[in-house]
Structures are given as structure tokens and as C-alpha cells.
Amino acid sequence: MLMNAANSLLLIIDVQEKLAPTMSASREVISGCARLIGAAGSLGVPCLFTEQYPKGLGPTMVDLRQAAEKNAKYLPKTEFSCAKNEAILQEIKNSGRKQIIMAGVELHICVLQTALDLKAAGYDVFVVANACSSQDAAQHVLSYQRLLAAGVEVVSLEMVIYEWLEKSGTDVFKEVVKKYL
């Protein structure tokens, strides 16, 4: 099953100022998310940002806010699974998109629980491995094993972007490759 820009929604989970820097490979995660956000903007893929308890953990990282479109939505939550937050779930439903491309932190908590819940709700779920992390890198292997066993696709940001692009030689291809790959 290929990812398709016309049917995808990018969900960036909890990459926040006081949380993201504590992650294993934090710069890779922030950079990976920014590249996904930029490519999504160029290809018309809507992007939602969630923020776990923003009063305590701060807003989404400034790098990501700068990469986002002006109409990006930032949705606060206290639930670990985004699918258990009515406002976030409603935004996902309202998008009409069936492929949910996910990146963010913490992989073994909010990303994992959201992916499993969205998969159970009938969405095609893709977790971007080089744009996700946890504070404890040992959690990565267990998280990916569990996601794969549940039928969630584990992909790279390059897979996502090239599948969204579908072909080379176009102006958008040249723009996206130059800026984000």
C-alpha cells in the first residue's frame, strides 16, 4: 500500500519546547518533522500538531512552527492517545483523509497509543521512524515490534515524500527534493 498525498494527513505529536530536547536523537527528530511538514505544505497534505499539556511542556518547537503553513492547527491534549481526544479525533475525521502519517514523541507512549487506536478505528497508519523518538532509545525496538505486529506501517521520511511525489520531472518534484530531501 503506497502513501498518497491526496489521501494523507500528517500528524505531528508533541514535539514541544520542553519535551523534544530530552529525546534520544532530538535534532534528527526535529529535522525530520520539519522536512515532512515542508513537503506536506508543498503537496497540499494537511498537517495537525498535538501538544501534550502545553502549559507545562510548552508549545510546539519553533523550528516546526516556522516550517508549518499559516493555517496549521495546534491542538492541546492531556490524553496519551490523540484518538481519545474528541477535538483531535474530530479534526482527523473532518479531513476526510484515510492515511495518517505520524511523527513525534514519545514513540512508546503517545505515538504508539495513537497509532494503535487509529489503526483499530480503520485508518491506514504510517509511523515515520526517522522522525520519532523517546527519551530512552531502548524503547524504540519494542515500539516498532509492537506497531508492526498490529499492522501499522513503519516507514522513513524519504519513503513518505517520494510516495507523495509519485514521479520525477515536475516543478513540485524539483522544489521538494531541493528543499526537503
Side-chain angles (χ1 to χ4, degrees), residues 168-180:
S168 64
T170 65
D171 289 340
V172 73
F173 170 83
K174 292 172 189 170
E175 172 196 342
V176 168
V177 168
K178 183 178 179 181
K179 288 182 178 180
Y180 308 115

Side-chain angles (χ1 to χ4, degrees), residues 11-16 48-52 60 73-77 82 88:
L11 181 61
I12 304 293
I13 298 177
D14 307 345
V15 185
Q16 295 164 251
L48 294 178
F49 295 84
T50 69
E51 296 176 333
Q52 181 73 27
T60 297
K73 293 187 179 178
Y74 301 85
L75 302 164
K77 66 182 182 67
C82 296
I88 296 169

Side-chain angles (χ1 to χ4, degrees), residues 57-76:
L57 297 175
T60 297
M61 292 290 296
V62 67
D63 317 48
L64 304 189
R65 287 184 275 137
Q66 289 172 345
E69 298 287 318
K70 297 291 183 220
N71 59 355
K73 293 187 179 178
Y74 301 85
L75 302 164

Side-chain angles (χ1 to χ4, degrees), residues 38 81 85 105 112 118 123 128 150 172:
S81 172
N85 178 290
V105 300
L112 176 91
L118 291 176
Y123 290 93
V128 185
V172 73

